[in-house]
Amino acid sequence: MVKKQLIMEKSLELFAEQGFEATSVQQITKRCGISKGAFYLSFKSKEELILALIDQFMEQFLSNIDYTVRNAKNNENLLYDFYYISFASFNKYSNFAKIFMKEQAHSVNNEMFTKLHYYYQLHEKAILAMVEKLYGDEVNEIKYDLVYCIKSFMRTYTELLLFSNTLPDLETLAQSLAEKTNILAKHMTIPYVTHGFVPLFTHPQNEEGTKEEIIRFIDQSLEEVEESIEKESLVLLKEELLTPTLSQALIKGLIENIRNHPQCIWTAYLLRNYYNF
Amino acid sequence: MVKKQLIMEKSLELFAEQGFEATSVQQITKRCGISKGAFYLSFKSKEELILALIDQFMEQFLSNIDYTVRNAKNNENLLYDFYYISFASFNKYSNFAKIFMKEQAHSVNNEMFTKLHYYYQLHEKAILAMVEKLYGDEVNEIKYDLVYCIKSFMRTYTELLLFSNTLPDLETLAQSLAEKTNILAKHMTIPYVTHGFVPLFTHPQNEEGTKEEIIRFIDQSLEEVEESIEKESLVLLKEELLTPTLSQALIKGLIENIRNHPQCIWTAYLLRNYYNF
DNA sequence: TTGACAAATGACCGCCTAGTCATTAGTATA
DNA sequence: TATACTAATGACTAGGCGGTCATTTGTCAA
C-alpha cells in the first residue's frame, strides 16, 4: 500500500519537527494532501502510526548493528565499525533519530513505553555481546559499566550530530569514540553499574524467536515481497524450519539473500538469532 | 506569596509524572485545591509557570556547581566534588531533574528553548572552567571533547539515578566518574569536538552581569528577603556597586552571607561572576 | 451506458484545552 | 453595622483534538 508509506514518511517529518503530541492528524493529512478519512483507512489510530514508525526504524537499526557485531571477522575494526554503522544509521534516518531522542523517556502511553524498552534492551544486549567479544574475561568486573559508557557516548554525540549544523565527520567520530572506549576498558577500575541491567521494568517474555513466531514473520514477508530470489529464499527457509535438511552454509546464504530487503529485515534478524549466526 | 509557591510545588510533581504538555491547568488547580481563576492570579499563563520553574531550579543548580568549582582549594577532590554535588542536586530536586531530562530537547516554544540553551551554555562554561583548572594546558587539544564526555556521563548516569529504582550510591558514582574522566584526560588523543562550542543557536547577548542588571536583582532580592543580616548585606553590596569602598575580603564575606538564601542565589552568582571570585 | 464496488471525502461528534470575567466570599477599617 | 476593598470562584468562550460515517468520486467489467 503506497498511501501507508506516504503517511509514514510525511508524518515522520512532522514528528521530528514538533514531537508526537504536538503533531495533529490534521497536519499530517494536510502535508500528505489526503483527507482525514483516508488516514484512518491506513491506520486505525494515531498511536498505531507511531508504533509502526518505531518498529520500522528500530528493526532496521538494530539488525544493522547486530549484523556488524556478529559478522566481524576480527576485533581490530569491530569497535570502529560499530560506532560508524550506528552513527551512519542515525544520520541516514535522522528524522526518526530526532524523534527517538526527544520522546525516549516520554512514554506517551504504555504500549509505546513497552516497545521502546524492548528495543532498548535488545540494543544493550548487542553492545554487551560486543564488549564481551572485544575484551573477553578481562573486563568482567566492569563490563556492565562499560556498556553504559558506550551508551553515554552514543547518546550525546548522536545529539551533536543531529542537532548541530556542522558537517558530520563520521570517520573521526567513530575513531574518537573507539579510542575512548578502549582506553576506558583498559584502565577503568571503579565501575558504578555492576549488577547487570536492572530492568527498569519487567518486559513480558516476548515470544519472538520461537520457530512458530519466525514462520509467522516469514509468511508476512512472503506476502509483501515481489522479487523472485527473495521469495524463493523465504520459502526454502520456511521449509527448513519445518523439516531441517540443509547445511549451515546453505541456510546462512539464504538468510543473506533476504537480509537487505526492506520487508525481510526483522525476519532475517530473527533467523540469524535462531541459527546463532 | 504563599500560593505561588504552592502552585510551583504541586505542578512540579505533575510535570515530572506527565510532562508539560500532558499536564493541564485543571489538574494543577485540582491538586492545589484552588480554583482556576486563582491560578491565573499567580501566573499569567501556563507558560510563565514553566519558565519560572526552570529559572528556580537552574539558578540553584548552576550556582551550586559554580561555587564548588570556584572555591575548590586544590585539584585533588575537585572532580569528585563536582560530580557529587551535581548528582546530589539532581537527586534532591529529582522532580525537576526528571522534567529536565524529558523536555530538554523538546522546546515547547521559543522562549523555553532560549532559556534552556542559555543555562545549558552556562553549564558548559562551568565544566570547561573546571577542566582547565584541573588539567591546565596539557589538555588544550582535547579539552572541548572532554567537556562533552563529562556531559555524556552526567546525562546517562543521572537518568540511571532518577529512573531506576535502585538505591543511589552517590559516593561510588562520583568516584567512578571522576576516575573515568581522569583516565580520558590522560590518554585520549583523538578528539571529535575540537572547535569549541558551536552555539547551536546564537543567544542574544544577555545583559546579565552588567552593574545595572545586578542592582536590579539586588532590589528584587531585597523585596523578598525578611532576614536582617541578608537584608543588610544586600544593601551594603548595592552601595558598594554604586561607589566602591570596601576591600575584596569584605565583599566576598557579604556575598557569602546571602549565597544560601533562596531568594538570593542568582544575585550571589552574578556578584561572584562580577567580582571574579 | 449502466451498474457494482472500492476509494476517498470532509462535515460532524464529543471531549478537552487555555484562558476570561461577572459574581461572590472574606476581611479590615470607619 | 456599614463600607470598601481584595481574594477567590467556576461557568463560560473559542478553538483544537482524535475519531466516525453518510456521502461522493473514481474505476472497473458487462
Side-chain angles (χ1 to χ4, degrees), chain A residues 194-207:
Chain A
T194 50
H195 312 293
F197 309 108
V198 188
L200 295 183
F201 139 102
T202 45
H203 170 72
Q205 184 48 48
N206 212 295
E207 52 172 342

Side-chain angles (χ1 to χ4, degrees), chain B residues 186-198:
Chain B
K186 199 171 175 187
H187 296 96
M188 195 205 305
T189 64
I190 314 168
Y192 178 68
V193 180
T194 49
H195 312 293
F197 309 109
V198 188

Side-chain angles (χ1 to χ4, degrees), chain B residues 31-91:
Chain B
R31 184 165 296 196
C32 292
I34 60 171
S35 70
K36 213 162 176 194
F39 175 91
Y40 285 95
L41 289 178
S42 294
F43 296 95
K44 72 172 201 284
S45 69
K46 182 182 166 184
E47 191 188 322
E48 199 189 78
L49 164 63
I50 295 173
L51 294 175
L53 283 171
I54 293 175
D55 275 333
Q56 179 182 271
F57 175 77
M58 291 304 289
E59 289 176 4
Q60 183 99 12
F61 175 67
L62 286 178
S63 94
N64 270 351
I65 289 185
D66 188 72
Y67 185 82
T68 305
V69 174
R70 276 177 197 276
N71 288 22
K73 296 208 174 58
N74 53 55
N75 285 351
E76 201 180 328
N77 292 317
L78 174 52
L79 199 51
Y80 173 88
D81 289 343
F82 164 80
Y83 279 121
Y84 190 89
I85 202 87
S86 296
F87 288 113
S89 291
F90 278 131
N91 207 36

Side-chain angles (χ1 to χ4, degrees), chain A residues 17-22 101-107 120 144-146 148-149 151-153 155-157 159-161 163-170 172-177 179-181 183-184 187-193 198 200, chain B residues 18-22 101-107 120 144-146 148-149 151-153 155-157 159-161 163-170 172-177 179-181 183-184 187-193 198-200:
Chain A
E17 292 163 18
Q18 310 171 332
F20 289 137
E21 283 195 54
M101 288 284 149
K102 287 182 183 179
E103 308 282 343
Q104 213 161 1
H106 234 278
S107 62
Y120 214 59
Y144 296 115
D145 203 80
L146 204 53
Y148 252 82
C149 292
K151 281 177 59 180
S152 294
F153 292 144
R155 241 298 192 103
T156 316
Y157 285 86
E159 218 172 83
L160 193 67
L161 209 66
F163 297 102
S164 92
N165 300 319
T166 50
L167 271 182
D169 175 359
L170 298 187
T172 308
L173 180 54
Q175 263 179 38
S176 175
L177 294 189
E179 188 199 48
K180 290 184 180 90
T181 309
I183 292 172
L184 287 177
H187 296 96
M188 195 205 305
T189 64
I190 313 169
Y192 178 68
V193 180
V198 188
L200 295 183
Chain B
Q18 310 172 331
F20 290 136
E21 283 195 52
M101 287 285 147
K102 288 182 182 177
E103 308 283 342
Q104 211 161 1
H106 234 278
S107 62
Y120 214 58
Y144 296 115
D145 203 81
L146 204 52
Y148 252 82
C149 292
K151 282 178 57 179
S152 294
F153 292 144
R155 227 329 173 94
T156 316
Y157 286 87
E159 219 172 84
L160 193 67
L161 209 66
F163 296 103
S164 92
N165 299 321
T166 50
L167 272 182
D169 175 359
L170 298 186
T172 308
L173 180 53
Q175 263 179 37
S176 175
L177 294 189
E179 189 199 47
K180 290 186 179 89
T181 309
I183 293 172
L184 286 177
H187 296 96
M188 195 205 305
T189 64
I190 314 168
Y192 178 68
V193 180
V198 188
L200 295 183

Side-chain angles (χ1 to χ4, degrees), chain B residues 11 27-28 39 41 44 67 78 87 95 99 112 116 120 129-130 133 174 177 191 193 213 228 239 245 247 262 269-270:
Chain B
S11 66
Q27 284 176 293
I28 296 170
F39 175 91
L41 289 178
K44 72 172 201 284
Y67 185 82
L78 174 52
F87 288 113
N95 273 342
I99 300 176
M112 182 176 147
L116 281 178
Y120 214 58
M130 180 180 71
K133 192 169 183 175
L177 294 189
V193 180
E213 181 65 14
S228 62
E239 282 171 9
T245 54
S247 72
Y269 171 82
L270 293 176

